Amino acid sequence: MAAAGEGEGAGAFTCVSSKRSRQKRRAAVAMDTAEPRPSKRPSFPPVAAEALGAGKSEIRKVPVPANRYTPLKENWMKIFTPIVEHLQLQIRFNLKTRNVEIRTCQETKDLSALTKAADFVKAFILGFQVEDALALIRLDDLFLESFEVTDVKPLKGDHLSRAIGRIAGKGGKTKFTIENVTRTRIVLADAKIHILGSFQNIKMARTAICNLILGSPPSKVYGNIRAVASRAAERF
Amino acid sequence: MAAVKRLETCLRVAGAAGARPERFLSVQDDLAADFRTLTKALYDMNKALGSKKVRGGPLKELVIENFDDEQIWQQLELQNNTVLDFFKKSIARDAKDEDLCLLADQEEDSSDAGTSTDHELEDNIVEVETDQKSVYTKDRTKAKEKQSKREENIQKCSDEDSDIDFDIEALEQQTKTTKETTLKKKWRKSIVDDKFFKLAEMEMFLEHAEKENKEEEEEDINYFEDIISDDEDEESEEAKVKPVKSSRDLTYKDFFDPIDDNEDLVAQDVEDDQEDEADSAIEEQNEESISDIEDMNETMENTRGKDASKKVTFSLPDDSETEDITEMPLEKDVGPSEIKSSFEKRQEKMSKKIKSLEEELLEEKPWQLKGEVTGQKRPENSLLEETVLFDHAVRMAPVITEETTFQLEDIIKQRILDEAWDDVVPKEKPKEEAFEYKKRIILDHEKSKLSLAEIYEQEYIKLHQQKTEEEENPEHKEIQEMMDSLFLKLDALCNFHFTPKPPVPEVKIVSNLPAISMEEVAPVAVSDAALLAPEEIKEKNKAGDVKTDAEKTRTDKKRERRKKKLRKRMKLREKEKRQKLLEKKQPEQGTTLSKKAAAAKLKKLTKEGKATLLKDEGKDKVLKSSQAFFSQLQDQVKMQIKDATKLKKKQKQQKALSVHKLKL
């Protein structure tokens, strides 16, 4: 803009292009040399880890509650191995802060690996099995949803306990049934519920659990999820 | 003298015959004979005395003995035809002769002429019989039965006479007076009059026609005749027919009145007419007409601001033109001197149009253009005359016409022939097969052995396996096979020690069925899996488990009770329906049932207390012995006492209660 002003001030009107446009043109030229320009959508190759971040390593910290301390210790190797070997990240457990810290390093190729690793650890900390949590690393489109029983319906005391009991079922069979039918994993931690799975399946499981909380008998819930699941299966 | 005497006798006979005309209603043979003899007498007389100029028929006398009426007529016809020809010629000659004048006395009225001239004619007949006027006698003798024709002749003669009997001087006086007097209204005006039609003219014409057809009225004054004034007298004369021209000489002016523009021509025509006329009466007419025209000319010159329109009128009265002038104020005043230019005319039209449009705009609009109009604001039934357009939001029901019904019938007939009925197919509840049931998702109530990752892994593999299978091109397969066979053959040919490859099974069986179903196919082992699951035999209860009475919760018990009651209710309703149907169809059976129903009803009513059964206490039984009677009586009395005591007790109790309360 300043350049433009100068140009005008000089008297003779010369068309001065702004910096931005010049840069765009340069980029376009570079792109042209690299590959033939696509007609509609511009394609950008994935940015190298070094380009972004500018050399600094990122850290993610996952706090560990006391009750999960022992399982973490027992399953450390199983956690540690895929993160370091497959994702090329650095991981440690900070004893003072009781956090699991994950850090990128020079070998890290994929930036999204960090988030994946963080999610994986988080899932384990919430209560999921390592093998189930491992699916988070392997598959892109798995998610983690958490909600509370009181979110669905404001229950107190005995009612709350009964609702939780309904969700679990006798020996956990209701929970297992839902898991099997919807291909998800459910963690029932007192009043909190965590569901791990793909988006559609999470939805199915959530609906089932909400029905149970609201009071429908498990047989009814079975019927519903069965119907829904069969329809979903037919579609694929 | 002898002839005269004979004539007198003839007259007497004729008079006698005609004296009582009522006899003519029936056939009178003797009278007919009289008439025949009379005819013969006259005929013979005529032949004997007839002049030499008049040459009649060849027969010298009329033969009537043994002759038919028809034959007598034919004889007369012979005579008459020759005589008539002669007389026609003579009359024509005489008519042209101007010196001849047949004027006799002056008549008062042409209408009365009939009566008076009748007498004259008779006189004439009597006086002049040997003259040329014996024509009249001949006419009389011939046309005895034809009364009307004779009258016509008389009428015509009378008319001509009346025409001829005019006093010339009187007429001349009249014309003078008319010259000086201004034009007066000569016709009575009526509402119906217009360009072509004048009511007064029509009346005159009709009267004239009536007169001609009127029967003879001797010496009676016609009370319905108008005593018309002098002017009208003239007009009545004018109304008479113009002198007969031969058809070849008729021209336009004979039919139509002259046009205003051609007044000169009119004058000329009038003069021509003048020349043609022989009679002075007609001359007088022309004079009058001339005078009229002259007057008209004067008036036309004087009052020029009047009608310039051409008119076509019939030539009856000459006053039609004068009439137009008098009726002028009804028409528009367009001065003939100011001939309007085309531009002016156009301007006029435009202004007229503009005026009319302005009026239209200023007027109140008709109800059709007033927007939303309710029933009160428009006249009654006005919508019926309007064509109203509707927007149909819904598809209209089809109009049933004959054609549509025929079409439908055709379709029906064709369907019947094709036997393509649209019968309702009964729906069946789909029964699930065991196989399909197993295919459904099995609910596993245990913790899954596979982890989530493994599950997804398996899924992924499944998907991709299918893909890889599909990707194998069938063509490639074919090519591979062909090549294999070829190479095998070549190897066999090339090598001395050729060992053929072991046969490879070409068929690749890939089955995605679960292992359990695979095992079922084999009949070797009997597995439980082959049997139907309990759910397949009996559908599982929605609630899930089958409970014993001890296990049932309160809600379960209530639910069952409700269901039971519902079932009973439905059954009862169906039963009632069936009963009603039965009653309707078979009333005999219905009565038996109704008996039962009646018994049931009775029981119900008695239970409810609405009705009490009359018990047969055996009072009707005939009491045979006195002992029986008295014992019965005693029993009755006892009962009554018991009841009474009971009542008393009850009352006492009640009283006691009330007393108790009162004390408190």
Side-chain angles (χ1 to χ4, degrees):
Chain A
M1 274 18 90
E6 278 173 23
E8 280 173 25
F13 182 76
T14 49
C15 188
V16 181
S17 56
S18 62
K19 262 192 196 172
R20 230 180 277 160
S21 61
R22 262 184 269 145
Q23 272 184 352
K24 273 189 188 166
R25 256 187 259 142
R26 260 193 242 139
V29 168
M31 275 191 71
D32 284 336
T33 52
E35 64 207 32
R37 185 188 289 206
S39 57
K40 280 187 186 175
R41 239 179 144 204
S43 62
F44 300 105
V47 181
E50 295 98 31
L52 290 171
K56 247 187 165 180
S57 57
E58 284 192 16
I59 296 176
R60 295 282 160 87
K61 292 178 188 175
V62 183
V64 181
N67 60 332
R68 292 306 280 170
Y69 193 62
T70 325
L72 181 69
K73 263 208 289 192
E74 285 166 14
N75 296 316
W76 180 248
M77 286 310 293
K78 287 195 227 169
I79 296 165
F80 169 88
T81 321
I83 289 176
V84 170
E85 282 178 27
H86 299 122
L87 299 173
Q88 283 101 29
L89 294 163
Q90 290 171 351
I91 185 169
R92 74 170 184 186
F93 181 61
N94 195 337
L95 289 159
K96 282 180 210 161
T97 55
R98 301 287 174 129
N99 286 350
V100 174
E101 288 168 14
I102 311 167
R103 189 170 73 172
T104 57
C105 61
Q106 287 164 347
E107 286 90 37
T108 320
K109 287 161 197 158
D110 201 4
L111 266 175
S112 61
L114 189 60
T115 34
K116 275 190 188 175
D119 283 338
F120 165 60
V121 173
K122 204 195 272 180
F124 175 76
I125 300 296
L126 280 174
F128 289 99
Q129 302 284 341
V130 183
E131 295 86 13
D132 300 335
L134 210 59
L136 273 169
I137 299 174
R138 297 179 73 173
L139 293 158
D140 265 343
D141 59 349
L142 292 187
F143 300 97
L144 193 60
E145 182 166 338
S146 316
F147 64 96
E148 282 197 44
V149 175
T150 47
D151 289 345
V152 179
K153 192 174 178 187
L155 298 165
K156 280 181 247 174
D158 274 356
H159 302 293
L160 182 63
S161 320
R162 257 179 261 130
I164 296 164
R166 266 201 304 278
I167 298 167
K170 217 174 254 177
K173 76 175 179 176
T174 318
K175 187 177 86 120
F176 292 137
T177 317
I178 296 172
E179 280 182 7
N180 291 331
V181 173
T182 58
R183 280 182 277 129
T184 54
R185 289 287 173 263
I186 302 171
V187 164
L188 191 56
D190 281 344
K192 291 197 185 67
I193 301 162
H194 310 281
I195 310 172
L196 171 74
S198 66
F199 181 71
Q200 295 286 339
N201 297 335
I202 283 174
K203 212 158 113 181
M204 275 199 279
R206 190 179 60 222
T207 323
I209 290 167
C210 291
N211 285 338
L212 283 167
I213 293 168
L214 290 168
S216 51
S219 55
K220 192 169 186 179
V221 174
Y222 293 161
N224 287 345
I225 23 169
R226 196 196 276 157
V228 175
S230 56
R231 256 188 275 134
E234 273 171 35
R235 245 183 283 137
F236 295 113
Chain B
M1 288 315 289
V4 171
K5 276 192 183 168
R6 270 162 65 191
L7 268 175
E8 280 178 3
T9 50
C10 289
L11 272 171
R12 231 185 294 122
V13 169
R20 294 195 297 162
E22 65 271 11
R23 286 186 294 173
F24 289 122
L25 289 169
S26 58
V27 178
Q28 305 283 331
D29 290 325
D30 50 341
L31 278 175
D34 281 341
F35 280 131
R36 257 186 249 125
T37 49
L38 196 59
T39 323
K40 179 176 167 52
L42 287 169
Y43 187 90
D44 295 343
M45 203 166 66
N46 178 40
K47 273 292 177 183
L49 302 168
S51 65
K52 289 157 193 173
K53 280 188 188 176
V54 182
R55 277 196 214 130
L59 297 168
K60 290 238 170 154
E61 61 176 23
L62 193 67
V63 185
I64 52 171
E65 291 118 34
N66 303 326
F67 261 44
D68 212 5
D69 286 335
E70 189 59 45
Q71 286 164 334
I72 296 169
W73 273 115
Q74 277 172 4
Q75 289 177 47
L76 287 171
E77 212 183 310
L78 271 173
Q79 166 72 10
N80 291 339
N81 283 345
T82 48
V83 172
L84 268 171
D85 286 338
F86 174 76
F87 282 132
K88 271 187 201 170
K89 286 180 195 161
S90 62
I91 284 168
R93 200 183 350 111
D94 292 341
K96 285 183 186 171
D97 196 353
E98 287 179 10
D99 296 335
L100 265 175
C101 169
L102 292 169
L103 279 174
D105 308 323
Q106 166 120 35
E107 262 101 355
E108 330 145 357
D109 212 323
S110 58
S111 50
D112 294 342
T115 57
S116 52
T117 49
D118 227 358
H119 290 293
E120 277 188 311
L121 273 170
E122 281 182 350
D123 294 337
N124 285 340
I125 288 160
V126 172
E127 285 168 35
V128 187
E129 53 181 53
T130 55
D131 212 10
Q132 280 190 356
K133 308 276 186 208
S134 62
V135 168
Y136 293 109
T137 60
K138 284 280 162 64
D139 286 340
R140 264 198 129 196
T141 54
K142 289 169 210 165
K144 232 181 213 170
E145 280 87 30
K146 298 175 187 173
Q147 296 260 351
S148 59
K149 202 176 175 183
R150 167 186 162 223
E151 278 174 338
E152 261 183 67
N153 288 337
I154 291 162
Q155 283 289 355
K156 275 184 189 165
C157 299
S158 71
D159 286 345
E160 282 176 19
D161 282 344
S162 61
D163 273 345
I164 293 158
D165 289 342
F166 255 87
D167 209 2
I168 299 171
E169 296 115 357
L171 281 170
E172 279 180 353
Q173 277 184 353
Q174 282 169 8
T175 52
K176 280 178 190 168
T177 51
T178 51
K179 259 192 180 179
E180 280 146 20
T181 56
T182 54
L183 294 159
K184 338 168 193 166
K185 256 201 309 186
K186 293 192 182 170
W187 293 104
R188 287 191 303 277
K189 269 211 269 187
S190 69
I191 312 164
V192 211
D193 288 357
D194 75 341
K195 215 159 68 163
F196 294 107
F197 176 75
K198 272 107 194 152
L199 191 66
E201 269 180 37
M202 192 187 78
E203 282 172 8
M204 295 300 302
F205 177 73
L206 287 171
E207 283 168 14
H208 185 71
E210 273 176 21
K211 277 180 238 161
E212 289 183 344
N213 296 332
K214 188 175 75 168
E215 286 190 18
E216 209 174 14
E217 284 179 67
E218 294 112 357
E219 291 150 358
D220 283 340
I221 303 164
N222 191 353
Y223 293 112
F224 297 109
E225 283 289 345
D226 289 342
I227 300 166
I228 48 181
S229 63
D230 290 342
D231 291 341
E232 286 190 3
D233 192 13
E234 288 170 352
E235 283 142 37
S236 64
E237 305 311 307
E238 288 167 282
K240 274 149 208 157
V241 179
K242 280 199 174 174
V244 176
K245 288 185 187 177
S246 89
S247 55
R248 285 162 197 260
D249 298 338
L250 291 170
T251 53
Y252 173 86
K253 58 183 191 289
D254 294 317
F255 291 105
F256 300 111
D257 269 350
I259 308 163
D260 293 337
D261 295 339
N262 306 330
E263 286 134 9
D264 301 333
L265 282 171
V266 165
Q268 200 183 26
D269 287 343
V270 167
E271 283 168 307
D272 290 341
D273 289 342
Q274 223 178 1
E275 287 166 29
D276 288 341
E277 308 296 353
D279 291 331
S280 59
I282 299 157
E283 259 185 28
E284 167 272 317
Q285 276 186 29
N286 289 334
E287 284 173 18
E288 204 193 22
S289 65
I290 291 163
S291 69
D292 285 342
I293 288 155
E294 284 171 5
D295 290 334
M296 271 199 311
N297 284 340
E298 286 168 6
T299 52
M300 286 293 252
E301 282 153 10
N302 294 340
T303 61
R304 265 287 150 171
K306 307 234 169 168
D307 156 60
S309 60
K310 299 179 182 182
K311 288 210 160 179
V312 171
T313 56
F314 295 105
S315 67
L316 290 167
D318 298 335
D319 296 321
S320 59
E321 288 169 348
T322 60
E323 197 188 356
D324 294 339
I325 291 163
T326 53
E327 291 178 354
M328 223 42 70
L330 298 171
E331 294 166 356
K332 258 191 278 176
D333 289 1
V334 179
S337 63
E338 302 168 16
I339 300 164
K340 294 230 159 180
S341 67
S342 59
F343 174 74
E344 277 184 353
K345 286 184 195 163
R346 256 185 283 130
Q347 285 295 97
E348 264 181 45
K349 278 188 195 168
M350 281 284 278
S351 60
K352 262 192 272 167
K353 215 174 178 184
I354 290 165
K355 213 180 176 183
S356 69
L357 282 173
E358 280 175 356
E359 276 177 35
E360 232 186 270
L361 284 172
L362 291 171
E363 262 180 14
E364 201 189 310
K365 294 220 174 130
W367 69 267
Q368 283 95 342
L369 303 173
K370 271 194 179 166
E372 202 176 326
V373 179
T374 58
Q376 279 89 20
K377 288 178 193 164
R378 53 179 166 78
E380 202 182 315
N381 289 338
S382 55
L383 265 183
L384 293 173
E385 286 130 40
E386 291 287 313
T387 49
V388 193
L389 295 172
F390 287 106
D391 281 336
H392 298 285
V394 189
R395 198 159 63 162
M396 305 297 291
V399 177
I400 305 292
T401 57
E402 257 189 79
E403 290 166 9
T404 56
T405 47
F406 283 137
Q407 275 177 6
L408 283 170
E409 279 170 12
D410 287 338
I411 293 169
I412 291 165
K413 283 180 206 161
Q414 195 55 42
R415 285 280 189 94
I416 292 166
L417 289 170
D418 296 340
E419 296 198 15
W421 317 115
D422 281 335
D423 286 338
V424 175
V425 178
K427 270 197 263 183
E428 278 176 19
K429 192 174 171 183
K431 284 195 177 170
E432 235 190 83
E433 279 182 31
F435 189 60
E436 284 170 60
Y437 184 82
K438 277 175 193 166
K439 268 197 168 178
R440 270 210 259 156
I441 291 168
I442 302 158
L443 284 179
D444 189 13
H445 295 290
E446 288 173 1
K447 185 172 176 166
S448 67
K449 309 267 163 50
L450 302 166
S451 72
L452 196 68
E454 279 161 16
I455 294 168
Y456 279 114
E457 209 181 295
Q458 280 179 353
E459 263 187 55
Y460 182 80
I461 289 162
K462 250 197 255 176
L463 274 170
H464 283 269
Q465 253 188 0
Q466 281 175 0
K467 278 188 186 174
T468 51
E469 276 182 32
E470 283 167 17
E471 275 171 19
E472 271 190 43
N473 205 344
E475 280 183 8
H476 284 290
K477 269 194 202 170
E478 253 188 83
I479 291 165
Q480 194 65 38
E481 279 173 32
M482 283 160 73
M483 279 179 73
D484 284 338
S485 65
L486 176 70
F487 284 140
L488 192 70
K489 286 173 189 166
L490 285 170
D491 286 339
L493 288 169
C494 296
N495 292 338
F496 281 122
H497 309 285
F498 170 68
T499 49
K501 276 187 188 172
V504 178
E506 287 171 10
V507 180
K508 200 161 77 172
I509 299 166
V510 179
S511 58
N512 263 335
L513 300 167
I516 293 167
S517 55
M518 293 283 283
E519 282 174 20
E520 277 180 326
V521 176
V524 177
V526 179
S527 62
D528 281 338
L531 299 171
L532 288 171
E535 285 94 355
E536 289 156 9
I537 301 164
K538 183 183 186 283
E539 255 197 48
K540 213 173 161 186
N541 197 3
K542 271 190 181 177
D545 305 322
V546 179
K547 294 182 181 170
T548 58
D549 283 342
E551 284 179 27
K552 282 186 190 163
T553 61
R554 197 156 163 267
T555 45
D556 290 330
K557 284 181 196 165
K558 291 215 165 185
R559 194 189 300 134
E560 274 191 25
R561 190 179 153 75
R562 268 183 263 132
K563 280 194 180 164
K564 187 171 114 190
K565 284 176 100 177
L566 184 75
R567 264 183 269 132
K568 274 234 159 178
R569 216 181 298 144
M570 300 308 286
K571 272 190 194 170
L572 198 67
R573 276 194 200 150
E574 275 184 37
K575 199 176 171 187
E576 278 176 18
K577 270 189 196 171
R578 267 187 279 122
Q579 266 211 6
K580 274 187 190 171
L581 275 171
L582 258 175
E583 273 178 41
K584 276 184 191 174
K585 282 180 185 176
Q586 288 140 346
E588 308 94 46
Q589 280 191 21
T591 50
T592 54
L593 285 167
S594 72
K595 265 191 192 169
K596 279 189 190 173
K601 253 192 180 179
L602 186 72
K603 222 180 173 183
K604 231 202 307 178
L605 287 169
T606 47
K607 269 192 189 171
E608 286 170 355
K610 286 184 183 173
T612 51
L613 274 172
L614 292 168
K615 290 178 193 168
D616 186 14
E617 288 169 22
K619 284 184 185 168
D620 300 336
K621 241 196 299 183
V622 178
L623 296 160
K624 289 195 177 166
S625 63
S626 60
Q627 191 189 26
F629 172 72
F630 280 114
S631 61
Q632 202 183 52
L633 190 65
Q634 186 67 21
D635 289 335
Q636 269 185 13
V637 168
K638 268 188 193 172
M639 290 295 291
Q640 278 177 12
I641 292 163
K642 259 191 193 175
D643 292 334
T645 49
K646 273 185 189 171
L647 273 167
K648 275 188 187 171
K649 275 186 188 173
K650 275 188 186 172
Q651 279 173 10
K652 274 187 185 172
Q653 279 175 8
Q654 283 173 6
K655 277 185 183 172
L657 282 165
S658 65
V659 163
H660 205 66
K661 279 186 184 173
L662 281 169
K663 272 194 179 175
L664 285 164

